[in-house]
Amino acid sequence: MSMPRSDFWKNFSTVLAGATGAQALPLLVAPLLTRMCTPSDMGAFSVWLGVIAVASIVATLRFEAAMVLDHEKRQQRVCFSVVAYFATLLALTLTACVVAARVAGLSAVGTMSWFALLTIGAGTWLTAFTQTTLAYAASHNLFDKAAKAKVLAAGTTAISQLALLYSGLHGAALLAGQLIGLGAGLWAARLMVSPPPARIKLTLDDEQRSYLAKHQAFWRFSLPSSLLNTVVGQLPLFMIGIHHGVQAAGLFALTQRVLNAPIALIATSVLEVFKRQAVHEFESAGHCRDVYRATFKVLVLLALGPSLVLLLFSPELFGWVFGPTWRPAGELARILAPLCFLNFVASPLSYVFYVTGKQKMELLWQVALFVMTISVFVAPLSLHECLLGYAAGRSALYMVYLAMSYRCAQNGPASVSSAGRPAGPR
């Protein structure tokens, strides 16, 4: 039996309240940030943050998604230990590699400051552990505590960045403020939800290796799929920076921040509740089509308003809110508004691939998306032409994605393993 509708809206409201605070604070201070830093500063910070976003996916092996499905206490403790091992290993290796690349004069890291290079590993480690801790909270319905941790992290980040910019640190202030916020959020999350302690050793023990084997679908299929998805999400920023300069990258970064706000604010809140509800329906009925349909309708209704506002008024809004220098970012937002709508609807429903054990299907779609994105951004086109092609191609692929996910929701395998995860083909 699926979760009662009243429970869905109660949990959704709790997650939404936390997400609102976590996303509203950065948006509220954004008009101040854009008047205290240049598009070039924003571009350099966004590239650094993009590298961390990609690396943190690898650091978790996507086991934060397994946390909700396999929620036995001992298994979750092992999960934390596995994530701790790989996150620490990756953070140290990544820091050493980028420093070596800078010393060797590699052009790919030549434009990044030493502070940015030396803190990529730390940012990756903090992000990976935060994601895993919040997943633990969701697996135990601790939505209110997770929400408080998110708000604290966002508030600390915003205040730190403003204070450091005011003190004259310029671009480094954005990086340092982000690290301070990540640390504060992780500390608060672990204090409030009390997850199992992570044991870090030089090598994995037998229990940890068994966990890797048991949940191999996540690092074999979900990891490359999520990695491709994150790379594709950051690839336009990286390519724009390479071909059109750091200032253009800064304009696009602000566009991404505004367009991603509804997804991070509302769609992610829906996802946190959809996860458990889909698992419950799947375990009892062998499918999750009912909760899929209901969630799809809610997402469409929620996405229509913001998407229309962006399509009609984004240049004027960007110029008024963020300052005349940032009006061109509104032109980019207008181009991407339809894509924002489809992304908002499709992103939360992607969890159905995990519930039904069809991660391989999603991986193939992510490969197609990656190929399309590369093809568009390597073409000799203007910035606006690149974004038009990207929006059209990705929108078409999202339509395919929605059809695939709905088919999985209807036709998932009927049996469920004793660990509480769907059994069937991987």
Side-chain angles (χ1 to χ4, degrees):
M1 182 179 297
S2 61
M3 181 186 299
R5 183 172 299 181
S6 60
D7 288 347
F8 176 91
W9 286 110
K10 177 183 178 182
N11 291 335
F12 171 70
S13 299
T14 301
V15 177
L16 179 60
T20 300
Q23 295 301 317
L25 286 170
L27 288 178
L28 288 173
V29 303
L32 294 175
L33 289 177
T34 54
R35 287 168 171 81
M36 298 174 70
C37 67
T38 66
S40 297
D41 292 334
M42 182 68 73
F45 166 69
S46 299
V47 169
W48 173 84
L49 198 59
V51 173
I52 289 175
V54 172
S56 63
I57 296 294
V58 180
T60 64
L61 300 181
R62 290 300 284 139
F63 282 158
E64 80 279 8
M67 187 82 72
V68 179
L69 298 176
D70 196 354
H71 41 74
E72 192 271 326
K73 184 176 181 180
R74 184 179 181 85
Q75 289 296 294
Q76 290 188 328
R77 178 183 59 77
V78 177
C79 179
F80 269 106
S81 298
V82 172
V83 171
Y85 178 85
F86 282 99
T88 303
L89 180 63
L90 179 63
L92 294 174
T93 303
L94 185 60
T95 302
C97 288
V98 294
V99 169
R102 179 61 178 271
V103 172
L106 197 64
S107 59
V109 298
T111 58
M112 299 183 70
S113 67
W114 275 107
F115 182 73
L117 295 174
L118 292 172
T119 54
I120 284 179
T124 298
W125 192 93
L126 289 169
T127 302
F129 251 83
T130 299
Q131 291 171 348
T132 308
T133 303
L134 293 177
Y136 173 85
S139 72
H140 293 278
N141 284 331
L142 302 175
F143 297 111
D144 55 339
K145 295 181 179 180
K148 292 175 183 177
K150 291 178 182 178
V151 172
L152 177 64
T156 305
T157 299
I159 294 172
S160 298
Q161 287 179 335
L162 286 174
L164 293 172
L165 280 170
Y166 184 77
S167 69
L169 284 184
H170 302 293
L174 299 177
L175 280 66
Q178 184 72 28
L179 290 172
I180 294 171
L182 283 171
L186 177 59
W187 172 80
R190 295 193 67 84
L191 185 66
M192 287 187 285
V193 306
S194 300
R199 298 178 302 170
I200 304 178
K201 300 179 180 179
L202 292 178
T203 59
L204 296 174
D205 59 29
D206 292 339
E207 190 175 28
Q208 292 165 343
R209 285 193 292 269
S210 297
Y211 189 88
L212 281 171
K214 177 181 179 181
H215 294 290
Q216 59 179 296
F218 285 92
W219 53 265
R220 288 182 61 193
F221 302 123
S222 300
L223 172 60
S225 177
S226 298
L227 185 60
L228 277 174
N229 183 54
T230 306
V231 168
V232 168
Q234 300 298 328
L235 191 60
L237 176 66
F238 297 154
M239 299 297 288
I240 287 171
I242 293 172
H243 293 294
H244 302 283
V246 180
Q247 182 169 348
L251 294 172
F252 181 75
L254 181 64
T255 303
Q256 278 191 314
R257 173 176 290 195
V258 174
L259 294 185
N260 288 338
I263 298 172
L265 173 61
I266 302 175
T268 302
S269 303
V270 174
L271 170 61
E272 292 301 316
V273 181
F274 176 72
K275 285 180 180 180
R276 287 191 60 84
Q277 189 167 356
V279 170
H280 285 309
E281 183 174 332
F282 191 88
E283 289 177 340
S284 60
H287 63 78
C288 52
R289 62 172 176 263
D290 294 336
V291 65
Y292 185 101
R293 291 171 180 169
T295 306
F296 175 82
K297 293 175 183 178
V298 169
L299 289 167
V300 169
L301 291 174
L302 292 172
L304 279 175
S307 299
L308 286 174
V309 170
L310 287 170
L311 185 64
L312 297 174
F313 307 111
S314 56
E316 293 79 9
L317 287 173
F318 272 67
W320 176 63
V321 174
F322 303 111
T325 305
W326 298 88
R327 181 185 171 93
E331 298 288 348
L332 305 183
R334 172 175 282 172
I335 294 173
L336 298 174
L339 174 59
C340 179
F341 172 82
L342 288 171
N343 189 16
F344 182 95
V345 175
S347 294
L349 298 174
S350 65
Y351 197 76
V352 75
F353 291 109
Y354 303 126
V355 175
T356 60
K358 301 294 181 62
Q359 293 99 321
K360 188 175 182 179
M361 183 182 295
E362 189 197 21
L363 174 58
L364 294 175
W365 182 88
Q366 295 290 354
V367 171
L369 178 59
F370 179 77
V371 171
M372 183 279 299
T373 304
I374 285 287
S375 301
V376 169
F377 281 96
V378 299
L381 302 173
S382 68
L383 177 59
H384 283 205
E385 289 170 340
C386 281
L387 290 181
L388 281 170
Y390 172 70
R394 186 160 184 169
S395 295
L397 285 172
Y398 267 135
M399 298 298 291
V400 175
Y401 192 77
L402 286 168
M404 289 167 52
S405 61
Y406 182 55
R407 183 176 180 181
C408 288
Q410 289 181 299
N411 302 320
S415 60
V416 180
S417 72
S418 60
R421 57 184 173 85
R426 292 292 181 184

